[in-house]
Structures are given as structure tokens and as C-alpha cells.
Amino acid sequence: MRALRLGTSWGGLVSGPLAWAISTQLNYALVPWQCNRQVPVVLPVALVLMVFSLLGGVLSWQAKRQGGAAFKPERTRSTERFIADLGMLSALLFALVIVIQGSAALILDECLR
């Protein structure tokens, strides 16, 4: 619970790649199912995983905003800020990749072979 309140600097570094990996695997697995049932699921799944990636970025942002604990040495605080910046950018990048991959469902027919 403390991590949600204060944030974690590495949140975006974990959530972004994890959401992208899940999205990529689900895209391959769900397209045949979507073709057979004619129920669009690829785009909603992509949007949910985009939000998951961005939530990790929010955790990194909260950690950067907190500035680290008061009793940490300066070197550790600067490292935490760098990891938080990297986490925010990573989460944003992977959210963008997930949306681009998911938007293919708007253009391509799922039954196209």
C-alpha cells in the first residue's frame, strides 16, 4: 500500500515491457478466436494493457515527485530520480507501442489470411 501512495521508481520499467509482452502474445492468441466469433477483443485488450503500462509510469512519477526518503544519501536519491525518469519514459513508450499494435485491429480484418 505504501508503494501506491509514494510510488516506486522502477514501476514504469516493469509495467511497460510486461504489458507489451502480454499484449503481443494475446494478439497472436486472440485473433483466431476473434475471427471465429466475430467479437472484437484485440483493441479493448490493447487499451487495458496501455492503461496498465501508464499506471507503472504514474508510480515512477510519484516516486520522482516524492524525491526519495530524507535519510538517503544524495547519490542514492539521484539514482532513484534517474530510474524514475527512465520508468516514466519507458512506460510511455511501451503504451504507445501497444496502442499502435492494437490499432491494427481498426484497419485490418481479423480473418485476413
Side-chain angles (χ1 to χ4, degrees), residues 2-78:
R2 181 175 182 259
L4 292 177
R5 188 170 23 100
L6 298 178
T8 56
S9 58
W10 47 267
L13 287 175
V14 172
S15 70
L18 181 64
W20 173 71
I22 292 170
S23 173
T24 301
Q25 293 302 313
L26 283 178
N27 284 343
Y28 283 111
L30 289 177
V31 167
W33 185 86
Q34 181 173 324
C35 178
N36 291 335
R37 290 170 182 74
Q38 297 297 315
V39 177
V41 293
V42 171
L43 189 59
V45 166
L47 293 176
V48 167
L49 289 168
M50 178 205 64
V51 169
F52 177 72
S53 177
L54 291 176
L55 286 176
V58 168
L59 286 176
S60 294
W61 175 73
Q62 285 177 336
K64 182 180 178 174
R65 195 173 52 128
Q66 295 295 326
F71 299 109
K72 286 186 179 178
E74 180 59 34
R75 183 174 179 181
T76 305
R77 281 196 304 250
S78 65

